[in-house]
Amino acid sequence: GALPKWALEPCMMGIDEAGRGPVLGPMVYGCLYCAVSFQKTLASLEFADSKTLKEEKREELFESLKANESIGWSVDVIDPRELSAKMLKKSKINLNEISHESAMGLVTRVLNMGVLLTQVFVDTVGDADKYCTKLSERFPSIKFVVAKKADSLYPVVSGASIVAKVTRDRALRNWTFDESAENMHRNFGSGYPGDPETKAWLEHHKHSIFGFPTLVRFSWGTCTTYFKDGAEVLWEADGALDEEGTANKNGKRQLKLSNLGFTGGKRNSEEIESSSKGRCKFFQSRKLEQLVQF
Amino acid sequence: MESNNGGGSAALIGSSGTVILSPPQQQQQTVDVHQLPCCIKSNGPSDVSNYFKPKSSGIEVDGGLELKEAFYRGRNLQGFTVPLPEGYSGFIIGKKNSNKDKTKKTAGTGKAPEISSNSSENHWETLAKCGNMTFWNHDSLPSQDDASMRVFHWFAVAKALHEPVSAEELT
């Protein structure tokens, strides 16, 4: 909609996250902003840290802040597929970097809407001072306050935490699986690795070849314990395979990707390594070899 | 598909076998074939279609092929589906068990089949056909320059090499 008039006054914003720790579902960054002059009224709205509130109360507060014309809000929902993919890239991106980028994305989005942001309160991720420096360098016109437990210290961050938490809960509740396998269900529990309901869900949904449904964050250490019974998968990005698709010498596994699925036979490592030697470059560079035995 | 360090493979070079491309009693099924940029240390059937869900992006990449996206074990895969060149067919073959009159699928044994030194056991037959192949990269756009794509260059070279040469062309 149109930009409210108060957005042209100096504004403050709070940023908080929901679903950073869970092994499944999206991670959500939420923000809430209002005019600095609205600060006192905001404090009277009784937003508390979303984690201390019951789900119903959070939903109720979310609806009331959505209806409040003196408040603006926005969310960034980071899909579990995106989280896993980024953290498992060839050059891996860690969760702190993803979190920082998401928070900065929200600041950019709100600034681009034309809101005059002058102060932004952020719950810290990693070292607070370093994070504050990073934010201040990116947005020199904004005064940042980065603090631990900002969600319980600043009402504007408490409000942001409600936005984030309600959005994450709804996303999980309404999750549509990519997979079409039978016997899947949505009793995820909290999604935290220690939650017995989450553990049971993971145990029930693990798959020897595919690992888990894409709802799960494959980059979480928790997953490794469930993969122990499943098929081992080697990736070039993990250093298990070199550029040629040949397993690293250190790994004592010599495999050619170009052969995978085409040869099932046991192959001598020397045979594979020497197979391209003395062959025409045309064949070498195309990973083609004459297969007499297969 | 683990390698062994034992010798003796050289002795097998030159052994022969047969590949039967049209089993008379079996209706040939056309299947999707995917080449993944990883090594899955398992052989056997799996419910691929329920778990592996490539999505079309609507974006054209190198050579006018459509970019596809999929996820496997948390990794983002980018790929394209390449039709086999005109005049070529793809076959999925499995080792034929000579003892029983039953096909022992390579893909169904649960472990890598042994290379048999007995050439009489080296008989293969068609399990399915494919008309195209989907090549996947981890974290990089598929391209005509990918090694898996460059394999197709052989077809043109083979054709030139094996084409009959007329007397005029020799002069």
Side-chain angles (χ1 to χ4, degrees):
Chain A
L3 192 67
K5 274 182 189 158
W6 56 259
L8 303 173
E9 288 177 38
C11 287
M12 61 196 295
M13 181 161 94
I15 300 177
D16 198 17
E17 134 288 316
R20 186 178 150 88
V23 64
L24 52 82
M27 175 167 82
V28 177
Y29 262 79
C31 69
L32 186 137
Y33 53 94
C34 61
V36 176
S37 60
F38 188 70
Q39 195 173 357
K40 277 189 181 163
T41 322
L42 186 79
S44 70
L45 294 178
E46 295 180 336
F47 295 143
D49 170 15
S50 68
K51 284 174 195 134
T52 65
L53 297 168
K54 282 193 176 158
E55 188 170 348
E56 275 174 39
K57 181 70 183 168
R58 279 198 301 263
E59 291 274 350
E60 193 187 305
L61 284 170
F62 185 46
E63 292 307 319
S64 75
L65 70 84
K66 268 162 67 177
N68 194 323
E69 285 176 3
S70 301
I71 297 173
W73 62 279
S74 192
V75 285
D76 181 26
V77 180
I78 310 165
D79 194 280
R81 284 163 287 224
E82 187 186 335
L83 280 175
S84 304
K86 282 188 169 164
M87 292 175 77
L88 295 170
K89 265 173 96 80
K90 283 179 184 169
S91 52
K92 300 182 172 27
I93 305 174
N94 69 39
L95 192 62
N96 281 2
E97 275 175 73
I98 297 170
S99 302
H100 292 171
E101 282 306 318
S102 179
M104 292 191 284
L106 286 174
V107 176
T108 305
R109 192 189 297 172
V110 173
L111 283 175
N112 287 348
M113 284 162 61
V115 178
L116 180 60
L117 285 180
T118 56
Q119 312 169 24
V120 174
F121 298 80
V122 191
D123 200 29
T124 195
V125 167
D127 184 274
D129 289 339
K130 280 184 193 163
Y131 190 18
C132 191
T133 307
K134 188 175 177 177
L135 289 164
S136 303
E137 277 172 5
R138 181 83 76 95
F139 306 100
S141 64
I142 298 171
K143 180 183 174 284
F144 284 93
V145 177
V146 182
K148 269 185 190 168
K149 296 185 178 167
D151 48 353
S152 52
L153 293 172
Y154 309 101
V156 76
V157 182
S158 307
S161 82
I162 288 165
V163 169
K165 180 73 175 142
V166 171
T167 307
R168 147 110 183 151
D169 288 348
R170 288 183 182 175
L172 211 51
R173 212 160 47 226
N174 302 323
W175 186 263
T176 326
F177 289 109
D178 281 335
E179 296 75 19
S180 47
E182 283 172 28
N183 297 320
M184 294 176 74
H185 63 77
R186 288 194 227 156
N187 305 324
F188 311 120
S190 63
Y192 281 97
D195 183 337
E197 206 177 352
T198 302
K199 282 183 178 174
W201 188 89
L202 290 169
E203 191 58 42
H204 181 76
H205 290 80
K206 72 178 182 186
H207 189 284
S208 66
I209 302 298
F210 293 93
F212 283 115
T214 56
L215 170 72
V216 174
R217 304 175 185 172
F218 285 73
S219 44
W220 257 237
T222 320
C223 294
T224 336
T225 48
Y226 293 88
F227 291 162
K228 272 177 189 153
D229 326 326
E232 193 189 352
V233 178
L234 304 175
W235 297 86
E236 193 185 300
D238 295 343
L241 301 167
D242 67 21
E243 273 178 25
E244 294 280 293
T246 310
N248 263 351
K249 283 171 193 167
N250 306 338
K252 290 202 174 179
R253 284 181 288 251
Q254 304 288 340
L255 287 158
K256 264 193 179 175
L257 275 187
S258 51
N259 288 335
L260 296 178
F262 302 109
T263 63
K266 286 194 175 181
R267 315 203 68 207
N268 187 307
S269 57
E270 275 177 41
E271 185 196 333
I272 287 178
E273 278 188 290
S274 63
S275 63
S276 65
K277 281 179 192 156
R279 306 197 68 211
C280 172
K281 215 172 177 183
F282 175 88
F283 296 110
Q284 273 188 44
S285 66
R286 283 161 188 81
K287 296 181 186 172
L288 283 166
E289 63 178 300
Q290 194 179 13
L291 218 57
V292 183
Q293 177 65 51
F294 58 92
Chain B
M1 280 187 260
E2 274 187 88
S3 65
N4 69 351
N5 292 315
S9 312
L12 299 171
I13 290 173
S15 65
S16 62
T18 58
V19 178
I20 305 159
L21 291 181
S22 315
Q25 291 174 335
Q26 211 173 326
Q27 191 69 35
Q28 278 183 9
Q29 198 193 346
T30 302
V31 295
D32 291 328
V33 176
H34 299 274
Q35 178 167 279
L36 301 188
C38 60
C39 169
I40 304 166
K41 301 195 78 189
S42 170
N43 267 332
S46 192
D47 44 353
V48 178
S49 57
N50 278 334
Y51 281 88
F52 192 68
K53 306 278 190 181
K55 286 196 175 73
S56 297
S57 67
I59 301 164
E60 267 189 20
V61 279
D62 204 6
L65 295 164
E66 192 188 29
L67 178 67
K68 291 183 176 179
E69 187 189 53
F71 292 90
Y72 179 64
R73 291 265 183 136
R75 319 265 170 158
N76 181 223
L77 307 180
Q78 293 170 302
F80 51 32
T81 301
V82 182
L84 293 178
E86 187 87 30
Y88 288 85
S89 289
F91 295 93
I92 319 299
I93 58 171
K95 202 156 205 168
K96 199 177 175 183
N97 194 330
S98 57
N99 300 325
K100 294 169 198 170
D101 195 24
K102 217 181 154 194
T103 306
K104 186 184 165 191
K105 292 181 194 173
T106 314
T109 55
K111 62 168 191 154
E114 306 278 319
I115 285 183
S116 169
S117 55
N118 184 351
S119 63
S120 71
E121 281 181 25
N122 199 15
H123 297 295
W124 301 72
E125 67 177 3
T126 314
L127 302 174
K129 278 182 86 168
C130 71
N132 58 46
M133 286 184 73
T134 307
F135 295 95
W136 297 99
N137 287 342
H138 175 211
D139 265 359
S140 58
L141 287 173
S143 140
Q144 298 290 341
D145 295 329
D146 290 346
S148 44
M149 287 302 293
R150 285 156 57 88
V151 162
F152 290 107
H153 297 168
W154 167 245
F155 291 138
V157 177
K159 189 168 180 268
L161 280 174
H162 297 289
E163 213 151 42
V165 181
S166 64
E168 296 90 75
E169 281 174 303
L170 287 171
T171 55

